[in-house]
Amino acid sequence: MHHYWFLIEKFLNKTISKEERIALEKWILRNKQNMKYFKSRIKESNSKILLDFDSEKAFMKFDNEIKAKTSKVIVLRRTVRYAAVFVIFSMISILIGKDTFNNSKGATVVSSEVKKEVIGEEDIVLKLADGTSKVISTSGDEVVLDENGNVIGSKSDNSIVFDAEALEDLVYSEIYIPFGQTFKLKLSDGTKVWLNAGSRLRFPQKFIKSAADRIVYLEGEAYFDVTKNTNKPFIVNVNDMNVKVYGTQFNVSSYKEDENVTTTLVEGSVSVYETENPDEELKLTPSYQAKYHKTKNAFKKAKVNTDMYTAWMRNKLVIDNLKFKEILLLLERKHHVKFINNAENLNSETYKGEFDNENIESVLKTISLSTPFKYEINQNIITISK
């Protein structure tokens, strides 16, 4: 409902786009409750778009206007109770320049052009189940539509809330977050997901009732705040292992170049296990971490300071006994840069430290005070030398 309330507001403010208008019309005509809510919002707004909301009068007015037009033909075979809606949409069509035409079944349809977006390496990209890809900005509000104009979610700044009401089948979408950015999702079951830079998440556009579980697929790093459902476990699949939960908060990290899949539990409980051996699970309690070695196929469990592993959500960089080459990887993801390290003697050095929203040059200067080295920044390429 939230998405359609947003569309109605855009409709009333005359800022609705062609694609959004199509989605709103579909939702209004879906059932009586939606029609009733739409009418009430029109009345509350004192909108001048529709002077008379009586269905019979509206239909007569609309019918007369259509008969007077010779350049366009619209055949109506819907019930009279929908007539007022068509009056509104015919009027708003003039404002947004929409063309209407008649299809073979006689239902009113709307022409719309799907814009092909140019996708760059710095763009957040949402790939929908229908195969379309959308560039997601990190500013402003907008409604997320699929190829058919159905609303599947709404975006506000750097987060998206998914709620694909019309979906009945289990279909997956995928979002990619480039280096230098983070993003937040709210899935259709209410689960919140914070995605770190360089991460990819594949997830259902809607969790359907017939599914036995709620499973998503992660590459990179994410923090999950899972909505509790004792009947449907929430599963995060990473490489050859699963993290299984019913409702809890935890962080999972597994970039391609990492040796381990690291699961850090903040609240609640989770179990981790190899996908091929679900019976041999390792259970975690708060403040414990499980590391799964990708090549050795082995788990290790230890108690940790969870703040260190969730610092990225607060735009902090925490270095705890990390090797120099590991630090460079973190900086590449966080600041979207590329390092050329010509001082290989530094790779075995380990460091500790904490940086609170500091720029990359400040971080490099601080580290160089401990082990001297030089660096040269050329756009997004940083060369390190002795």
Side-chain angles (χ1 to χ4, degrees):
M1 173 66 79
H2 169 76
H3 313 308
Y4 295 98
W5 176 90
F6 181 60
L7 285 182
I8 293 171
E9 292 304 304
K10 294 188 74 173
F11 174 82
L12 295 174
N13 294 328
K14 302 179 183 179
T15 59
I16 196 167
S17 68
K18 291 182 182 180
E19 292 81 6
E20 290 170 337
R21 192 208 60 77
I22 297 168
L24 179 58
E25 182 179 3
K26 286 182 179 179
W27 179 78
I28 291 170
L29 299 179
R30 190 177 298 160
N31 56 54
K32 292 181 180 179
Q33 290 75 22
N34 295 351
M35 172 73 74
K36 183 178 179 181
Y37 178 77
F38 180 64
K39 286 184 178 182
S40 68
R41 284 295 299 120
I42 295 292
K43 290 179 180 178
E44 289 171 6
S45 69
N46 295 318
S47 174
K48 295 181 180 179
I49 296 175
L50 185 63
L51 300 177
D52 191 342
F53 222 103
D54 179 79
S55 295
E56 295 292 342
K57 291 181 181 179
F59 177 76
M60 292 300 295
K61 180 179 178 182
F62 181 59
D63 189 47
N64 290 334
E65 288 177 354
I66 294 302
K67 287 177 180 177
K69 294 182 180 181
T70 58
S71 60
K72 298 178 183 178
V73 179
I74 301 178
V75 180
L76 291 179
R77 292 183 184 173
R78 298 191 185 275
T79 55
V80 172
R81 69 175 182 273
Y82 294 152
V85 178
F86 285 115
V87 175
I88 294 175
F89 281 117
S90 66
M91 291 180 178
I92 203 65
S93 297
I94 298 172
L95 296 175
I96 63 175
K98 178 185 74 67
D99 292 324
T100 56
F101 58 93
N102 179 28
N103 70 353
S104 59
K105 295 182 180 180
T108 302
V109 296
V110 182
S111 64
S112 63
E113 295 182 0
V114 178
K115 297 180 180 179
K116 293 184 178 179
E117 298 183 82
V118 178
I119 298 174
E121 63 176 14
E122 297 183 11
D123 291 324
I124 294 174
V125 179
L126 175 65
K127 185 176 181 180
L128 300 179
D130 58 24
T132 57
S133 294
K134 300 178 182 294
V135 174
I136 304 298
S137 67
T138 54
S139 62
D141 299 339
E142 62 182 284
V143 173
V144 182
L145 307 174
D146 65 14
E147 190 177 30
N148 297 318
N150 298 312
V151 175
I152 63 168
S154 59
K155 186 194 76 69
S156 178
D157 293 331
N158 68 333
S159 65
I160 295 180
V161 177
F162 288 91
D163 186 15
E165 294 181 2
L167 282 178
E168 296 180 358
D169 299 324
L170 183 64
V171 294
Y172 277 79
S173 290
E174 182 178 283
I175 192 165
Y176 171 71
I177 314 302
F179 286 174
Q181 300 190 56
T182 60
F183 204 75
K184 180 182 176 182
L185 306 178
K186 186 176 181 181
L187 305 182
S188 66
D189 66 339
T191 293
K192 299 173 185 176
V193 186
W194 288 259
L195 287 164
N196 203 354
S199 297
R200 192 184 304 272
L201 184 74
R202 186 168 175 261
F203 59 96
Q205 284 183 199
K206 180 180 181 180
F207 292 103
I208 61 174
K209 293 181 179 180
S210 59
D213 51 34
R214 300 169 288 165
I215 186 167
V216 300
Y217 302 86
L218 174 68
E219 177 187 308
E221 183 169 23
Y223 183 89
F224 294 86
D225 184 355
V226 177
T227 298
K228 188 174 183 179
N229 186 337
T230 55
N231 297 318
K232 289 182 184 291
F234 191 97
I235 297 173
V236 181
N237 176 265
V238 189
N239 296 100
D240 296 324
M241 63 152 283
N242 285 344
V243 183
K244 184 177 181 180
V245 303
Y246 292 93
T248 187
Q249 297 180 33
F250 59 99
N251 193 84
V252 181
S253 181
S254 178
Y255 289 96
K256 286 183 178 180
E257 58 272 17
D258 293 344
E259 291 183 347
N260 298 293
V261 179
T262 305
T263 305
T264 307
L265 183 62
V266 176
E267 183 180 299
S269 63
V270 303
S271 62
V272 293
Y273 56 90
E274 291 182 281
T275 53
E276 295 182 357
N277 299 298
D279 295 331
E280 298 181 11
E281 61 181 13
L282 176 66
K283 292 185 177 181
L284 298 180
T285 53
S287 298
Y288 274 85
Q289 180 184 87
K291 284 188 175 183
Y292 174 73
H293 200 283
K294 295 177 183 178
T295 55
K296 295 180 180 178
N297 300 328
F299 286 99
K300 285 187 178 180
K301 178 180 175 180
K303 192 168 186 177
V304 296
N305 178 2
T306 59
D307 286 343
M308 290 177 50
Y309 296 91
T310 59
W312 64 268
M313 297 171 60
R314 301 183 295 278
N315 206 22
K316 288 186 176 183
L317 175 65
V318 177
I319 298 171
D320 183 37
N321 290 322
L322 292 181
K323 293 182 179 179
F324 188 72
K325 61 181 180 180
E326 294 174 320
I327 296 172
L328 296 188
L329 282 175
L330 289 177
L331 294 176
E332 285 184 338
R333 296 169 192 158
K334 182 175 176 58
H335 296 280
H336 193 204
V337 297
K338 179 65 179 178
F339 282 99
I340 300 174
N341 183 17
N342 294 325
E344 295 184 1
N345 61 300
L346 297 174
N347 286 336
S348 59
E349 298 287 341
T350 57
Y351 301 85
K352 293 188 70 171
E354 183 174 321
F355 301 90
D356 190 357
N357 197 25
E358 296 184 41
N359 62 46
I360 193 165
E361 193 163 4
S362 176
V363 175
L364 291 174
K365 283 182 178 179
T366 302
I367 297 174
S368 67
L369 293 175
S370 173
T371 309
F373 61 86
K374 297 178 182 179
Y375 60 88
E376 180 182 347
I377 301 176
N378 183 8
Q379 295 183 342
N380 68 328
I381 305 294
I382 302 177
T383 304
I384 294 176
S385 57
K386 295 180 181 180

